[in-house]
Amino acid sequence: MDSADEQNGNGSHEALPPPPPDVPPNVVPVKVEPEPFKKKAVRVPIARRGLGSKGQKMPLLTNHFKVNVTNTAGYFFHYSVSLTYEDGRPVDGKGVGRKVIDRVHETYDTEFGKDFAYDGEKSLFTVGALPRNKLEFTVVLEDVLSNRNNGNASPDGHGSPNEGDRKRLRRPYHSKTFKVEISFAAKIPMQAIANALRGQESENSQEAFRVLDIILRQHAAKQGCLLVRQSFFHNDPKNFVDLGGGVLGCRGFHSSFRTSQGGLSLNIDVSTTMIIQPGPVVDFLIANQNAKRTLKNLRVKASPSNQEYKITGLSEKTCKEQLFQLKQKNGGDGGAEAVEITVYDYFVNHRNIDLRYSGDLPCINVGKPKRPTYIPLELCSLVSLQRYTKALSTLQRSSLVEKSRQKPQERMTVLSNALKSSKYDAEPMLRSCGISISPSFTQVEGRVLSAPKLKVGNGEDFFPRNGRWNFNNKKLVEPSRIEKWAVVNFSARCDIRNLVQNLTKCAEMKGIPIEDPFDVFEENPQSRRSPPVLRVEKMFEQIQSKLPGQPKFLLCLLPERKNSDIYGPWKRKNLAEFGIVTQCIAPQRVNDQYITNVLLKINAKLGGLNSMLAVEHSPSLPLVSNVPTLILGMDVSHGSPGQSDVPSIAAVVSSRQWPLISRYRACVRTQSPKLEMIDSLFKRVSETEDEGIIRELLLDFYVTSGKRKPDQIIIFRDGVSESQFNQVLNIELDQINEACKFLDEKWSPKFVVIVAQKNHHTKFFQPGSPDNVPPGTVIDNKVCHPRNNDFYLCAHAGMIGTTRPTHYHVLLDEVGFSADDLQELVHSLSYVYQRSTTAISVVAPICYAHLAASQMGQFIKFEDMSETSSSHGGVTSAGAVPVPQLPKLQEKVCNSMFFC
């Protein structure tokens, strides 16, 4: 049969093509160069172009302490550490590593021969090399806490006490043998530190600073501190405050090395964390309603052996009911038989331990799921300095904030004492690096910017004083009309008639036209114990049956001031289903200031403006008023600690009605849990469709700004660390650019990208003054980055505690702002927040984004997450699982400032 390539489709033969011509002998082959691959340019943060000069100069002190480094010619040697048990299994117990490496250093001092910095896991660093590139040691540790608990002379589900239990009873300590392998990994020049101080950052410099921070962590670990990243907490009761629920606030210190224009500095600040109250487990169970979930992985000491274990759970049955198989010796034949016995009976009758109250309580399980090891509750005590990682209640959080506050002078004293007590000058590794630390606070120059002029009603202008103002005898600049409205009361105790009278009177004084409410809807007392969603449904049935048409505004009275379970379902019903503007209040002490604050929110939600910048009205904002400019605020909110399957909420707010910069609207989406980069800025679903956030906001700007596209887009991004700056520039900004190009291929707006950080440890103080730095204080020298464009701004008046400045990082500026103009813009944006009559600590667009994410996050907070939780299967990696989508807001409210 003919082969397939000899036939055409009909089976007939085709002629073969002629052979190629012979190549002449004198032809030289030409190398064909491939088309050059155009690699996409990676954006990096821009360098500083200059310093600002505007404002009243003021000498300040900061909690950075100058560091001198003399050994810049040396090298850090990086070694990989492998820890295994005698049988080759890897060591997985946290905290064991430091004990093992310390024992190696003690036992093999001459062979090891050097001081070192160990991160507690797999990396060890020395100044100069160890004797060989690979070292192997064997050491023995007594009384080691192990994750492989086999019982404390206590029963487990497969026949116990086992032989290990009996041996442990005969000896006071439980010893283990460890094999340690230390292998050379890399060499890091200490010159990289000096290079970084000149703005030449590299992988080597990042590693060098990591080594320095590891030295600080190790120094704290030797003092028995709890380590939380670069914060250290001593086991000292005078540092503890009781927050209730078996939780303590623990005050400690943050300590880290920072590069700055003034050289290397050590940043020391007060830090706070939450720890479990040490003591009997039963006390914690009584105090904490979520204790059963919280107990897992906590460490306990069991009496009478004083052995330490890690809790894996609680028994399903009580101590008197929980059975296990106990192996007992059989008479004279030397065999053993299994007898079923309760945990309670075993400890009371076989161990002769008196149990006073454990009988009717569950047991602590310190074994494995399939091989449990039970200990009666009253024999277990929680050990000290264990972090509490669950979400705090509102009461606990406010208690922690209240008890953590320190006035500026008090904080300076505490920090000076902390530096002295740290004794860093005696740390061998720091001495090996030639590091010495000044005991004095660094002096910097601050500048106090003048508050921007604000405009209110009747054409009146005024300047805020000390970052504050009020609306006494003033009218709102753009009042909205409150009409077709009603009051809804979810069982709050309140004189509603008096409240409405005060609201009406105050509104008229502020220039707000207000009608009488149509009605007051009281919740049926029988509904109070119903689920929140049902209570809201019943209330809306009442509203719909009595009102002649849909209301434009509903004032909702809630019984609880914070965390009302009605809030989420109520907001969702109004905004997503009916498109009704609503304001929730929990009136307790109603006075003129309270009513005014409520009216400010209502006016903003209904489309009004309370006050605005005079330069908006002119308009005369440098570089912003001249060219159509869109301002974005971006934030991502994550679930509380321990909520690994709760979607993150991404919110972007955008300015509208250019040249205004006081009016915003929001777009909010869910995304994978704990994902920080916003992944729905551009979302192409077809050749012509983009369902992303940015398209929605660009179209709104176009419609509200006289059909003009923004030529400039200024982005304020919250909540990202320095390690994520490049992702903001190369992932998020790319998406925004794509969204613009998708609308118009020829459109190329200029971008400014600014990250705002509140989660840092730099503070500023007025020398010799008990007061905080004044509002408007800006610092762009000495403690700022040696290369990058950053500055600190204290826009607000710090009334309580020590002011925390916002650290602004200008990652990109294609517009070409001067340092003064950009700092003035940021400062002004702290005065356009419509919810209050004070300058706020961070620009309003970021605050609005946070509010929008928080409010719409409530929409899914009260839904049954069991389906999504089970489908997640515990997976929390970014992008790994589908997430429930938020409902779309009704058209009547989606463009409003519903989040105010």
Side-chain angles (χ1 to χ4, degrees), residues 66 121 362 446 494-495 552 598 601 604 626 763 767 836 859 894:
K66 186 165 178 57
E121 295 180 9
C494 176
D495 183 345
K552 288 187 175 180
V598 170
K601 295 177 184 179
N626 311 338
K763 303 288 189 299
S836 73
F859 285 15
C894 70

Side-chain angles (χ1 to χ4, degrees), residues 91-116:
V91 174
D92 57 2
K94 272 199 170 183
V96 178
R98 289 191 191 279
K99 293 178 183 176
V100 173
I101 294 297
D102 284 344
R103 179 57 56 89
V104 168
H105 198 227
E106 291 166 14
T107 311
Y108 299 93
D109 185 33
T110 52
E111 193 173 343
F112 202 85
K114 271 192 179 294
D115 293 313
F116 60 87

Side-chain angles (χ1 to χ4, degrees), residues 62-65 216 253-256 258 265-270 411 414-416 418-420 422 424 437 441 761-763 765:
T62 184
N63 57 336
H64 286 241
F65 300 86
L216 298 183
F253 298 97
H254 167 90
S255 184
S256 66
R258 307 287 299 176
S265 66
L266 181 70
N267 178 207
I268 296 184
D269 193 23
V270 174
R411 182 168 289 230
V414 167
L415 294 179
S416 290
L419 183 58
K420 288 174 190 169
S422 294
Y424 286 137
I437 301 165
F441 285 77
H761 289 275
T762 297
K763 303 288 189 299
F765 308 91

Side-chain angles (χ1 to χ4, degrees), residues 830-895:
S830 302
Y831 280 82
V832 301
Y833 191 56
Q834 299 297 306
R835 282 167 54 101
S836 73
T837 54
T838 61
I840 52 175
S841 62
V842 70
V843 290
I846 279 178
C847 282
Y848 288 147
H850 186 73
L851 285 172
S854 177
Q855 188 171 129
M856 289 194 69
Q858 300 277 343
F859 285 15
I860 57 173
K861 180 177 179 182
F862 298 98
E863 288 182 354
D864 182 10
M865 296 292 289
S866 59
E867 290 182 21
T868 54
S869 296
S870 59
S871 68
H872 286 185
V875 178
T876 59
S877 59
V881 291
V883 293
Q885 296 302 304
L886 288 169
K888 286 194 172 183
L889 300 188
Q890 288 289 319
E891 198 171 325
K892 284 178 279 187
V893 293
C894 70
N895 294 325

Side-chain angles (χ1 to χ4, degrees), residues 27-264:
V27 171
V28 178
V30 177
K31 185 180 178 183
V32 178
E33 294 290 340
E35 284 281 325
F37 175 68
K38 289 185 179 177
K39 193 176 180 184
K40 187 179 165 188
V42 175
R43 300 185 191 96
V44 295
I46 62 168
R48 186 186 308 279
R49 292 170 181 160
L51 300 176
S53 59
K54 281 188 180 177
Q56 183 71 40
K57 291 182 179 177
M58 171 182 277
L60 299 172
L61 297 175
T62 184
N63 57 336
H64 286 241
F65 300 86
K66 186 165 178 57
V67 175
N68 286 316
V69 186
T70 56
N71 185 14
T72 55
Y75 287 85
F76 289 123
F77 281 74
H78 177 194
Y79 294 88
S80 294
V81 177
S82 169
L83 303 179
T84 57
Y85 292 104
E86 216 171 359
D87 59 5
R89 288 174 299 137
V91 174
D92 57 2
K94 272 199 170 183
V96 178
R98 289 191 191 279
K99 293 178 183 176
V100 173
I101 294 297
D102 284 344
R103 179 57 56 89
V104 168
H105 198 227
E106 291 166 14
T107 311
Y108 299 93
D109 185 33
T110 52
E111 193 173 343
F112 202 85
K114 271 192 179 294
D115 293 313
F116 60 87
Y118 175 52
D119 70 352
E121 295 180 9
K122 295 186 176 180
S123 289
L124 183 143
F125 300 88
T126 59
V127 176
L130 291 176
R132 294 191 303 280
N133 281 350
K134 187 171 184 180
L135 298 167
E136 293 179 345
F137 306 102
T138 301
V139 291
V140 176
L141 280 189
E142 293 80 30
D143 197 21
V144 176
L145 168 66
S146 170
N147 288 340
R148 281 165 290 282
N149 297 329
N150 291 318
N152 177 31
S154 56
D156 69 32
H158 295 269
S160 187
N162 55 32
E163 191 60 29
D165 292 327
R166 294 196 179 91
K167 286 179 181 176
R168 206 173 292 124
L169 288 173
R170 293 196 293 269
R171 64 185 181 189
Y173 295 110
H174 175 208
S175 65
K176 277 192 183 293
T177 301
F178 297 88
K179 290 184 176 180
V180 182
E181 193 176 281
I182 298 173
S183 310
F184 173 75
K187 195 163 84 164
I188 306 157
M190 293 170 72
Q191 180 63 36
I193 297 172
N195 294 345
L197 296 174
R198 292 195 292 270
Q200 300 166 9
E201 290 193 348
S202 63
E203 201 172 313
N204 275 336
S205 63
Q206 290 170 4
E207 278 295 291
F209 286 114
R210 177 175 163 239
V211 177
L212 295 182
D213 282 341
I214 287 170
I215 294 171
L216 298 183
R217 283 174 59 82
Q218 177 175 271
H219 184 77
K222 286 177 182 174
Q223 299 172 49
C225 291
L226 168 66
L227 309 182
V228 183
R229 293 180 290 278
Q230 286 302 128
S231 292
F232 318 125
F233 303 90
H234 289 271
N235 188 12
D236 186 345
K238 76 172 186 286
N239 294 332
F240 303 158
V241 291
D242 191 354
L243 304 179
V247 181
L248 301 177
C250 180
R251 193 174 75 181
F253 298 97
H254 167 90
S255 184
S256 66
F257 288 99
R258 307 287 299 176
T259 54
S260 67
Q261 295 135 308
L264 188 63

